[in-house]
Amino acid sequence: MVLDSLALWEEKVYLHMDRSQAEAGDAIFFKAYVFNAPTRRRLSPSGVLKLELRDSENALVASQYHPLREGTGQGVVRLPKKIEDGSYSLVAYTRWMQNYGEEQFFSTNIRVGEAGDEVEATTVNDKARISLHPEGGQLLAGV
């Protein structure tokens, strides 16, 4: 019976955020979608979403709870004012998702501090080499 419920009610979380780079103390707005993995429908018995901000060594920096209604939620992640520049992970999950392990949790990277050079040019044998980086970090085929 328990194995049946674990297979039928597996949840997945996806966060849509307004940005992935911010400064200390900034707010990052998000919308969360929780859906049933086997049916891919936005159907979830969970009522609470937990967000954790973790540093590069996976140590907890901050955590928040946000309400879910009908498989969606929204809110603001406010970065601590005294946070060091670097790369952090924003992890989102429900209590039910803990049955499946951390590999099931939603995780995305957030860069705190200067974004660095988006376009870099170097000269090699009097020819310019240009490296372009897309805003979201991934290229889409055909776009």
Side-chain angles (χ1 to χ4, degrees):
M1 181 93 168
V2 172
L3 291 177
D4 288 345
S5 65
L6 287 176
L8 294 175
W9 288 104
E10 180 182 356
E11 291 180 338
K12 294 281 188 180
V13 172
Y14 178 76
L15 288 185
H16 181 88
M17 301 184 319
D18 69 334
R19 58 191 161 148
S20 61
Q21 194 277 329
E23 297 293 325
D26 282 355
I28 299 175
F29 296 90
F30 73 90
K31 179 134 186 186
Y33 302 94
V34 182
F35 57 95
N36 179 279
T39 63
R40 299 194 187 273
R41 298 175 80 190
R42 204 174 32 156
L43 172 68
S44 170
S46 296
V48 177
L49 178 72
K50 184 170 184 180
L51 295 177
E52 294 180 348
L53 184 65
R54 299 179 183 176
D55 65 12
S56 59
E57 296 174 0
N58 210 27
L60 184 64
V61 175
S63 66
Q64 299 178 347
Y65 293 93
H66 295 273
L68 293 172
R69 182 179 292 164
E70 297 177 7
T72 63
Q74 59 191 9
V76 177
V77 175
R78 188 161 303 274
L79 299 176
K81 291 184 180 183
K82 294 184 179 182
I83 190 172
E84 295 181 18
D85 290 355
S87 183
Y88 292 83
S89 295
L90 184 64
V91 179
Y93 61 94
T94 65
R95 186 173 174 136
W96 182 256
M97 290 174 66
Q98 290 178 315
N99 290 317
Y100 303 93
E102 281 197 32
E103 59 275 356
Q104 294 292 102
F105 297 175
F106 175 85
S107 180
T108 188
N109 291 328
I110 295 177
R111 175 83 181 135
V112 176
E114 293 297 319
D117 295 331
E118 293 298 322
V119 177
E120 59 183 54
T122 59
T123 303
V124 178
N125 297 333
D126 296 328
K127 293 182 181 179
R129 184 192 319 159
I130 298 175
S131 175
L132 301 174
H133 302 277
E135 183 179 33
Q138 298 178 2
L139 294 174
L140 299 175
V143 177

